[in-house]
């Protein structure tokens, strides 16, 4: 029903406006008695064989929702009803910011892809914390970044502010230095500044009686040499793992659109064109590190087979974003059922 009826209607409208409308609608219907349980009964696959223990956390299944969908932690409870094993909120910054000027979100329908240059638009970490205090039972990842106006030399302060504010309310952290939509942010992926940033965060982490896993989200555009640096950095800083990958600035292999000007829009590309490269990065990190750390695989997962490829390449968990938009919530169910088939 989603692909035949709901998606065509939604895709008639501006993608950013539809996103916020969808949030409002989901929150509204989930306030109706019994509706959350009905949604769960349709999409949730309950089976102990789906459970995964990764970086010390127990996931009820290995399929999560990637950061960027619920930036401000406004809908994590309702979204979890669609069968996700975990929800990643953010990217959050210390201070609220509007992000980049609109229009900043574009569908490439023939490519099953999206270009976004949102620019870490969010209401600030403190506002998100107020909503996370109401969480009951949803496993949450907190994706953190720096404000646009914060220079790179002061970036560590922004990440520490977010880390401290979220510490009691998320289950794991994700350090986002790989978004292409904040000026100069990707420079923080270079070995020296990244090592310093992660070392400072792990040092702050060690001040707590029980540490929280810290993961690094990386770009798919890194060279093999840079990926080897990432392996060295993870080993040196002792962070818990890596999320591979963020959106790409590449436009390689895109089909011609009815509106070819969309192809020239700047921003990060996500969706089906990223499938192969994201899997390559996962496999490279897994093999070259001898599976030294867990990897969450994300990028171009539009089918159960796409998810299995990433798990077989070395991912411990997977996340959806653009695939969830194009394929609908049934994709979560299909992936979990396929994983169960493979365990039989």
């Amino acid at each position: 029903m989603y692909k035949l009826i709901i998606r065509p209607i939604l895709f008639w409208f501006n993608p950013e406006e539809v996103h916020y409308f969808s949030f409002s609608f989901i929150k509204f219907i989930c306030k109706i008695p019994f509706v959350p349980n009905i949604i769960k009964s349709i999409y949730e696959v309950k089976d102990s064989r789906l459970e995964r223990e990764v970086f010390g956390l127990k996931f009820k299944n290995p399929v999560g929702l990637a950061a960027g969908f619920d930036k401000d932690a406004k809908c994590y409870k309702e979204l979890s009803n669609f069968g996700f094993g975990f929800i990643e909120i953010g990217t959050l910054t210390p201070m609220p910011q509007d992000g980049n000027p609109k229009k900043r979100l574009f569908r490439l329908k023939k490519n099953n892809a999206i270009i976004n240059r949102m620019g870490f638009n969010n209401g600030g970490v403190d506002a998100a914390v107020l909503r996370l205090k109401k969480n009951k039972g949803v496993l949450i990842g907190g994706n953190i970044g720096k404000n646009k106006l914060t220079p790179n030399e002061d970036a560590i302060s922004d990440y520490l502010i977010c880390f401290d504010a979220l510490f009691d309310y998320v289950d794991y952290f994700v350090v986002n230095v790989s978004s292409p939509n904040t000026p100069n942010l990707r420079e923080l992926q270079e070995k020296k500044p990244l090592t310093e940033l992660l070392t400072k965060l792990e040092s702050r982490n060690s001040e707590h009686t029980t540490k929280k896993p810290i993961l690094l989200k990386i770009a798919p555009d890194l060279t093999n040499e840079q990926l080897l640096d990432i392996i060295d950095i993870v080993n040196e800083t002792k962070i818990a793992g890596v999320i591979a990958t963020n959106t790409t600035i590449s436009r390689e292999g895109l089909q011609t659109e009815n509106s070819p000007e969309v192809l020239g829009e700047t921003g990060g590309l996500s969706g089906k064109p990223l499938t192969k490269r994201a899997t390559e990065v996962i496999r490279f990190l897994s093999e070259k590190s001898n599976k030294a750390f867990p990897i969450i695989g994300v990028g171009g997962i539009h089918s159960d087979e796409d998810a299995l490829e990433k798990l077989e390449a070395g991912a411990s968990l997977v996340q959806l974003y653009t695939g969830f938009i194009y394929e609908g919530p049934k994709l979560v169910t299909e992936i979990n059922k396929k994983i169960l088939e493979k365990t039989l």
Side-chain angles (χ1 to χ4, degrees):
M1 186 175 76
Y2 177 84
K3 292 178 72 173
L4 289 176
I5 300 173
I6 297 175
R7 189 181 77 180
I9 294 173
L10 294 177
F11 276 24
W12 270 104
F13 300 97
N14 175 281
E16 187 167 353
E17 292 175 359
V18 163
H19 183 80
Y20 295 126
F21 167 79
S22 299
F23 264 41
S24 298
F25 180 73
I26 291 170
K27 288 181 73 67
F28 171 75
I29 64 169
C30 284
K31 289 179 180 178
I32 301 172
F34 307 112
V35 168
N37 288 334
I38 293 171
I39 295 173
K40 284 183 179 180
S41 69
I42 295 171
Y43 296 109
E44 189 174 52
V45 181
K46 290 185 177 181
D47 195 304
S48 60
R49 290 171 298 171
L50 288 171
E51 294 175 359
R52 299 289 187 275
E53 187 166 329
V54 187
F55 36 81
L57 299 176
K58 189 173 183 179
F59 297 80
K60 64 181 180 181
N61 70 63
V63 185
L65 182 65
F69 204 89
D70 187 9
K71 289 176 179 289
D72 286 298
K74 290 182 176 179
C75 203
Y76 61 88
K77 179 182 178 182
E78 293 82 2
L79 288 166
S80 70
N81 293 330
F82 291 99
F84 289 107
F86 59 109
I87 305 286
E88 192 172 307
I89 54 95
T91 297
L92 291 167
T93 57
M95 300 296 295
Q97 60 182 26
D98 293 331
N100 293 321
K102 299 177 182 179
K103 189 176 179 182
R104 55 192 181 182
L105 190 63
F106 309 89
R107 301 186 193 98
L108 285 70
K109 298 177 187 177
K110 289 185 178 179
N111 295 279
N112 287 330
I114 289 172
I115 292 174
N116 95 82
R117 53 169 179 268
M118 302 300 287
F120 288 176
N121 58 306
N122 72 105
V125 69
D126 291 337
V129 165
L130 293 177
R131 289 182 280 272
L132 289 169
K133 286 181 178 180
K134 301 175 183 178
N135 182 27
K136 295 180 180 179
V138 181
L139 198 154
I140 299 287
N143 189 300
I144 58 176
K146 77 174 189 72
N147 281 112
K148 182 177 181 178
L149 296 180
T150 302
N152 280 0
E153 55 266 28
D154 298 327
I156 290 175
S157 176
D158 275 15
Y159 285 93
L160 287 172
I161 289 169
C162 293
F163 183 84
D164 291 340
L166 287 169
F167 189 88
D168 292 330
Y169 308 104
V170 300
D171 297 286
Y172 69 87
F173 284 93
V174 180
V175 178
N176 188 350
V177 292
S178 53
S179 169
N181 301 319
T182 295
N184 305 317
L185 181 72
R186 284 191 169 193
E187 293 177 5
L188 294 175
Q189 288 185 119
E190 296 300 324
K191 193 167 187 177
K192 184 177 179 180
L194 184 54
T195 300
E196 183 180 5
L197 170 60
L198 295 177
T199 299
K200 288 287 179 65
L201 284 168
E202 271 297 353
S203 176
R204 184 64 60 89
N205 201 13
S206 296
E207 295 175 7
H208 295 269
T209 304
T210 303
K211 295 170 63 176
K212 296 285 175 76
I214 297 175
L215 287 78
L216 172 67
K217 189 165 188 176
I218 64 171
D221 309 307
L222 298 178
T223 65
N224 285 349
E225 184 178 349
Q226 289 172 314
L227 290 174
L228 290 173
D229 283 343
I230 293 296
I231 293 171
D232 290 341
I233 291 167
V234 172
N235 291 332
E236 181 179 343
T237 61
K238 309 299 183 187
I239 64 168
V242 168
I243 297 186
T245 63
N246 211 323
T247 57
T248 179
I249 57 175
S250 171
R251 299 293 185 265
E252 184 179 351
L254 291 180
Q255 298 180 33
T256 303
E257 289 280 316
N258 293 331
S259 302
E261 66 273 10
V262 172
L263 297 177
E265 295 289 350
T266 60
L269 175 75
S270 62
K272 196 65 180 173
L274 190 53
T275 305
K276 181 181 177 183
R277 178 56 185 163
T279 303
E280 287 173 350
V281 172
I282 293 164
R283 182 172 287 109
F284 185 93
L285 291 174
S286 179
E287 291 179 355
K288 296 299 182 181
S289 70
N290 293 316
K291 300 182 179 180
F293 47 82
I295 300 168
I296 298 181
V298 56
I301 299 176
H302 285 247
S303 69
D304 50 17
E305 291 298 334
D306 292 336
L308 284 178
E309 282 181 4
K310 285 181 168 48
L311 293 170
E312 290 166 359
S316 301
L317 307 166
V318 294
Q319 290 178 325
L320 309 180
Y321 183 91
T322 305
F324 186 60
I325 294 170
Y326 275 89
E327 310 301 329
K330 189 180 178 182
L331 179 59
V332 185
T333 310
E334 291 172 347
I335 293 171
N336 280 319
K337 285 183 175 180
K338 180 64 73 171
I339 291 171
L340 284 178
E341 285 180 20
K342 291 290 185 178
T343 63
L344 295 177

